[in-house]
Amino acid sequence: MRRIAGIILAVLLIGGVVVAVVAGRSSEDGTATKTVQAVIGSEKAEFFADPDVVKALAAKGYTVKAETSGSWAMEGLDLAGYDLALPSSQAPAAALAAKYKVTGTLPRPFYSPLVVVAHKNAAEVLAANKLATLDTEHRGTFEMAAYLAAARDDRTWQQLKGAQKYGELTGTLYLSSTDPETSNSGALYLAAASYVENGGKVVASDAEIDRATPLLHQLISVQGAQQSSTDAVFRDFVSGAGNPLVVVYESQVASLLQEGQQPDDLVVLYPDTTVNSDHTVVPLTEDGKAVAELLSADARLRELEARHGFRPQGEAAEFASDTTYLKQELTGVHQAAVPTSEVLHELARRARG
């Protein structure tokens, strides 16, 4: 009986080893891969789900299992057991690095500037009132200082020259954004607005926070309920729902164009003062660090990043933009500095308050 039991136990142990090895293999070519657990901003979900990205990572020995979260909401998550976090800018990444005692320079493999997407009628009215300039039918510049002055005065569409012929342009003039307390794009919108309001300087002191608060509160309170996902806001805009002016990432527009869509009613306005969403990796393990390095340096992954609308760090030529809607080079666009995580949190809290 002991001998029989020993044989059965040996078979079970062998079976267990076989199961573990099969679970760690790629279904395509049998290459052994390490599974990397990641939490990412929602705007990168399509990138990591792309079969070509999955294949490129597997070729280097990794399978990334990604869960999405608002970039600022990541600070409240328990990331025990995760290999990396990939929020959409440096400020929440720095806060996560401090929380989990990650030292050294955090990799920033790709980035995307904030843009304003507008329906064509709205863009034409903005241009007629010197709130924007149009370079082409589908691309132009958004005048941040002029817009903030209009927002401070509670200007309505009805007060703008030429808006009367468009029945959909009614009520207060404002930009729709995501919730700045949970979403990176909403927080970066406040960073850009506060930079302009502070005379072209990054907000840093308590006095500067106090001065910026009334305008920022006005920008957020006029919107009512806000969504926590930039993807959801952009989908609503493309479907024709909601506000005619929305703050999104350039990468979302580029990804839409890469899919072959060219909406006739879409105009992309680059704020003359904007901020970059620097997608920043917080490696929590050695495997997480290895994947971060691949995202930064691997030629195939950089190509796929550009295909999904992100700008790989270093080479503007890799950004495969459709210049009907997008700028290949970000000339004429001033990149504002972003406040520290603590200051940006406080600005968001007061803006929502």
Side-chain angles (χ1 to χ4, degrees):
M1 287 297 294
R2 285 189 191 136
R3 186 174 179 184
I4 293 172
I7 292 172
I8 293 172
L9 180 59
V11 170
L12 289 174
L13 288 171
I14 293 170
V17 171
V18 170
V19 169
V21 170
V22 169
R25 291 186 181 274
S26 163
S27 60
E28 289 190 9
D29 59 10
T31 303
T33 61
K34 294 180 179 179
T35 298
V36 172
Q37 299 287 346
V39 58
I40 63 172
S42 62
E43 68 289 330
K44 294 179 284 289
E46 288 187 4
F47 171 77
F48 282 100
D50 184 336
D52 289 337
V53 174
V54 173
K55 184 177 179 180
L57 286 167
K60 298 297 182 179
Y62 295 96
T63 297
V64 175
K65 289 191 174 180
E67 300 173 18
T68 62
S69 166
S71 293
W72 287 97
M74 288 181 192
E75 288 186 46
L77 301 178
D78 180 1
L79 297 184
Y82 286 84
D83 296 287
L84 66 87
L86 184 46
S88 302
S89 70
Q90 288 179 272
L96 285 170
K99 180 178 178 180
Y100 290 96
K101 297 179 173 56
V102 177
T103 58
T105 302
L106 300 178
R108 293 181 291 138
F110 46 84
Y111 67 98
S112 184
L114 283 188
V115 297
V116 175
V117 289
H119 294 306
K120 188 177 292 184
N121 291 344
E124 290 175 354
V125 171
L126 292 179
N129 289 270
K130 298 184 178 180
L131 295 168
T133 57
L134 297 179
D135 304 326
T136 70
E137 184 181 5
H138 295 287
R139 190 188 71 232
T141 301
F142 187 78
E143 306 291 339
M144 276 292 286
Y147 164 69
L148 294 178
R152 194 180 293 107
D153 293 338
D154 282 325
R155 292 183 74 180
T156 64
W157 284 105
Q158 291 92 322
Q159 293 172 319
L160 299 182
K161 179 176 63 178
Q164 296 75 19
K165 59 183 177 180
Y166 303 119
E168 71 275 18
L169 299 180
T170 60
T172 304
L173 170 70
Y174 69 92
L175 301 181
S176 287
S177 64
T178 52
D179 182 349
E181 290 195 288
T182 60
S183 171
N184 184 66
S185 62
L188 292 184
Y189 171 43
L190 295 187
S194 66
Y195 183 89
V196 175
E197 179 71 355
N198 198 38
K201 297 186 299 179
V202 64
V203 172
S205 68
D206 290 342
E208 289 170 335
I209 293 173
D210 290 341
R211 284 196 297 271
T213 292
L215 176 62
L216 300 187
H217 179 66
Q218 199 162 1
L219 297 178
I220 299 303
S221 62
V222 71
Q223 299 184 46
Q226 293 177 289
Q227 300 198 63
S228 60
S229 164
T230 314
D231 276 355
V233 171
F234 187 58
R235 284 196 301 270
D236 284 350
F237 174 85
V238 171
S239 71
N243 194 44
L245 301 172
V246 180
V247 178
V248 299
Y249 297 118
E250 178 195 55
S251 60
Q252 294 173 279
V253 181
S255 182
L256 183 75
L257 299 175
Q258 288 285 349
E259 294 170 3
Q261 298 188 51
Q262 291 192 323
D264 186 59
D265 193 36
L266 171 66
V267 180
V268 182
L269 301 173
Y270 286 80
D272 56 2
T273 299
T274 190
V275 291
N276 281 339
S277 174
D278 286 312
H279 297 269
T280 305
V281 185
V282 183
L284 301 170
T285 66
E286 287 301 313
D287 286 339
K289 183 177 180 180
V291 169
E293 290 172 353
L294 289 172
L295 292 172
S296 298
D298 183 78
R300 176 57 175 159
L301 286 169
R302 287 174 65 90
E303 176 189 329
L304 292 168
E305 288 157 12
R307 193 171 82 183
H308 279 266
F310 302 109
R311 292 178 180 259
Q313 293 284 0
E315 290 291 336
E318 289 182 285
F319 180 62
S321 69
D322 180 333
T323 54
T324 302
Y325 295 85
L326 304 177
K327 290 177 178 283
Q328 178 75 36
E329 301 276 354
L330 294 174
T331 52
V333 177
H334 180 70
Q335 301 296 325
V338 178
T340 64
S341 175
E342 293 77 13
V343 169
L344 204 47
H345 268 305
E346 183 61 15
L347 290 173
R349 186 188 69 78
R350 294 198 190 187
R352 289 283 293 166

